[in-house]
Amino acid sequence: MNVSASSIANTLGIGSGVDMAGLANQLAEAQFAGRNERLASQSETLERRISLAGSIRSSLSTFVSALGDRLRGGDLAPLPTISNSAVATVSSPIGTVGKGTYSLEVTQLASNQILTGPNYANSTDTVGAGTLTFRFGQTSTTIFTEDPATAPLSIGIEPGATLNDVASTINVRNGGLTAYVAQTDLGAQLVIKGNDGAKNGFIIEATEDGANPGLSNIAWQPGGNAARLLKTSVDAEFLLDGIARRSPSNTIENIAPGLSLSLMATNAGAPATIGFRNSTSALSSAMQDITGALNEIVTDLRTATDPMTGDLARDSGARALKRSFSALGTMVILPNAPEGSPRTLAELGLAIQRDGSFTFDSVRMAEVMTRDPAGVAAMFTTRIDGIYSTIERISRSSSAGGDPASLAGSIARYQSQSQQIQMDLEKLAERQETLRANMIARFAKADSNVAASKSTLTFLQSQIDAWNAQKA
């Protein structure tokens, strides 16, 4: 009859008295123990390498992200200040550095045109149908000069449209106009507002639907009802360092190096002074923080690449990162800096020691700041050159998965090797199980033979004992 493998395993040892199942397991394990231990050891080493390389790369990426956030926050550049904050707010565009002083005298703020419509009894009154065409340019109660650079805006008004519908249609078009209906003592009036700036004034032309007249009541142009033109649009006018300037907006970007303005009030005859605060302490603190962050990464990198104990001792990506850090101090990071301005981190006081760690000389930093504060501040930006961009390029290089000489390339290689080892371990486990099963089958047959032999010997012994008894 057929006997299952588990039944065989359970009955092994009955004939011989030996634990044949245990013996099969031990022999199969012994056969593959060396290879299993060797692969397991290789797998553990690869996992340590993946973890170390990933941790160093992550630390560098986190540092770069934090540095970028701090620089974009604007607390390191010489920020502009103004003696009369009611006149204007001042700021420095990202990536720019200002210096010196300026005088600001605002004689006129930019403003928009406000035009009203005729009086209606209610906002739900119908206005007729047809097309309203808005033309843009310089407008007054007597003269309109169209701006050829701005295309007219035509809006279709459907039959049955109310005053509210006209306002909504104007707003939906987003054509540089906003509208609403004002309920006054005289009734409901359409109010239309344009953008700031002299050339953003407008007139209204109407083409009526003959079957639904009335839309021409909303039309307006110079020579019409002057009371409907509540305000004309004008440019901002101001003097910066005594030079007359104009702007269609009260927000003026990059009016001077490192300076943007947002005009808020006039101060004719009483100029305000704009200057830039000294940021020595903030920059020195930033350099201290940069040095500390670099040293944390370098310490991990030095331990990982120790020739005797480091798991990344011969790793090409780790060695490439070490080379990048060792050249960081003397690397020109601001190649377009003016003659005499700092171009390297070493000029700001960063030095590299024999063991690869960094130190920061705050005295040297202070000396450079005193001599060229704008030149130092220029290095602390998120532009294409500077401290941030230089370290960010190092981080990006270490994370380039397609480069086998980068940390990311090393991680990809180790992960591939680890996957192959796991596949080899699975194959060994299958072969070990096959060998164990074969041994159990062979040992079961041998044990059966032993059991049969023992039965024969027992029978013979009983016969001999019987013969001996008869003779006695």
Side-chain angles (χ1 to χ4, degrees):
M1 75 182 199
N2 294 327
V3 182
S4 68
S6 60
S7 298
I8 295 174
N10 291 332
T11 57
L12 278 175
I14 294 176
S16 63
V18 177
D19 182 4
M20 294 298 187
L23 180 60
N25 285 334
Q26 293 173 12
L27 290 174
E29 288 176 0
Q31 176 73 20
F32 294 94
R35 278 172 285 180
N36 274 317
E37 291 175 1
R38 190 162 53 251
L39 289 175
S41 176
Q42 293 175 3
S43 179
E44 291 176 1
T45 299
L46 287 171
E47 288 303 318
R48 289 198 304 272
R49 289 175 177 172
I50 292 171
S51 178
L52 270 174
S55 177
I56 293 171
R57 187 181 65 166
S58 177
S59 295
L60 181 55
S61 177
T62 300
F63 165 48
V64 169
S65 178
L67 179 60
D69 289 343
R70 184 169 183 181
L71 296 182
R72 280 185 287 270
D75 66 331
L76 299 179
L79 296 181
T81 60
I82 186 169
S83 61
N84 186 350
S85 59
V87 172
T89 59
V90 291
S91 61
S92 288
I94 293 176
T96 65
V97 178
K99 60 181 179 179
T101 60
Y102 302 89
S103 66
L104 174 65
E105 183 177 353
V106 182
T107 56
Q108 177 176 279
L109 293 176
S111 65
N112 61 339
Q113 176 177 319
I114 301 178
L115 182 70
T116 64
N119 293 319
Y120 288 80
N122 295 291
S123 61
T124 55
D125 286 359
T126 57
V127 297
T131 302
L132 292 177
T133 300
F134 296 84
R135 299 186 183 278
F136 299 91
Q138 291 185 281
T139 308
S140 70
T141 56
T142 58
I143 298 175
F144 171 69
T145 304
E146 187 170 3
D147 179 13
T150 303
L153 175 67
S154 294
I155 296 177
I157 305 299
E158 298 297 325
T162 66
L163 203 59
N164 279 335
D165 293 333
V166 174
S168 296
T169 303
I170 292 173
N171 291 330
V172 167
R173 289 296 301 273
N174 291 319
L177 299 171
T178 58
Y180 67 94
V181 177
Q183 191 69 44
T184 71
D185 292 340
L186 298 177
Q189 282 185 304
L190 180 67
V191 181
I192 307 174
K193 304 166 70 174
N195 290 330
D196 289 348
K199 292 184 178 181
N200 289 320
F202 57 91
I203 61 171
I204 308 174
E205 298 174 347
T207 302
E208 288 193 347
D209 177 352
N212 295 276
L215 194 61
S216 59
N217 291 330
I218 296 177
W220 183 91
Q221 53 187 307
N225 186 353
R228 288 179 55 185
L229 183 62
L230 300 185
K231 190 175 68 164
T232 58
S233 58
V234 295
D235 288 341
E237 297 180 1
F238 59 98
L239 288 85
L240 189 69
D241 284 344
I243 302 172
R245 309 287 288 272
R246 298 175 65 91
S247 170
S249 170
N250 290 316
T251 299
I252 309 150
E253 300 288 344
N254 293 300
I255 190 67
L259 179 63
S260 291
L261 299 174
S262 181
L263 306 181
M264 300 169 62
T266 59
N267 64 331
T273 300
I274 298 172
F276 292 85
R277 76 180 186 194
N278 191 311
S279 56
T280 300
S281 60
L283 292 175
S284 182
S285 174
M287 277 301 298
Q288 289 279 16
D289 294 342
I290 290 172
T291 303
L294 288 172
N295 277 334
E296 289 182 11
I297 299 171
V298 166
T299 297
D300 292 342
L301 191 58
R302 184 168 60 244
T303 300
T305 56
D306 184 278
M308 302 299 295
T309 60
D311 284 308
L312 300 180
R314 290 178 293 277
D315 182 82
S316 58
R319 290 200 300 268
L321 185 56
K322 285 184 69 175
R323 288 193 298 271
S324 295
F325 279 143
S326 65
L328 188 58
T330 56
M331 183 186 305
V332 175
I333 64 175
L334 207 63
N336 296 321
E339 187 67 30
S341 291
R343 299 186 176 197
T344 69
L345 284 171
E347 293 176 86
L348 299 186
L350 187 74
I352 301 178
Q353 306 302 296
R354 287 177 175 268
D355 62 356
S357 63
F358 295 88
T359 62
F360 171 59
D361 185 348
S362 59
V363 174
R364 184 170 186 182
M365 174 77 165
E367 292 174 349
V368 180
M369 278 294 299
T370 300
R371 185 181 73 249
D372 188 5
V376 174
M379 300 183 76
F380 290 84
T381 70
T382 53
R383 294 181 302 178
I384 191 170
D385 295 316
I387 295 174
Y388 169 77
S389 295
T390 299
I391 298 177
E392 194 269 340
R393 279 193 293 270
I394 293 175
S395 176
R396 199 160 7 100
S397 178
S398 72
S399 298
D403 182 3
S406 69
L407 275 180
S410 296
I411 292 173
R413 183 170 62 255
Y414 296 146
Q415 288 174 334
S416 176
Q417 293 172 358
S418 180
Q419 291 172 359
Q420 183 59 52
I421 286 176
Q422 293 304 314
M423 294 172 60
D424 292 344
L425 283 170
E426 291 174 3
K427 290 179 181 178
L428 280 181
E430 292 174 359
R431 293 172 60 189
Q432 180 176 319
E433 177 57 26
T434 300
L435 177 61
R436 187 188 71 82
N438 289 338
M439 285 185 175
I440 286 177
R442 291 200 299 270
F443 289 169
K445 183 176 181 180
D447 198 66
S448 176
N449 292 334
V450 170
S453 298
K454 289 177 66 176
S455 176
T456 300
L457 289 173
T458 299
F459 172 75
L460 293 175
Q461 185 64 51
S462 66
Q463 291 298 315
I464 292 172
D465 290 342
W467 292 337
N468 289 336
Q470 292 176 358
K471 291 180 181 180

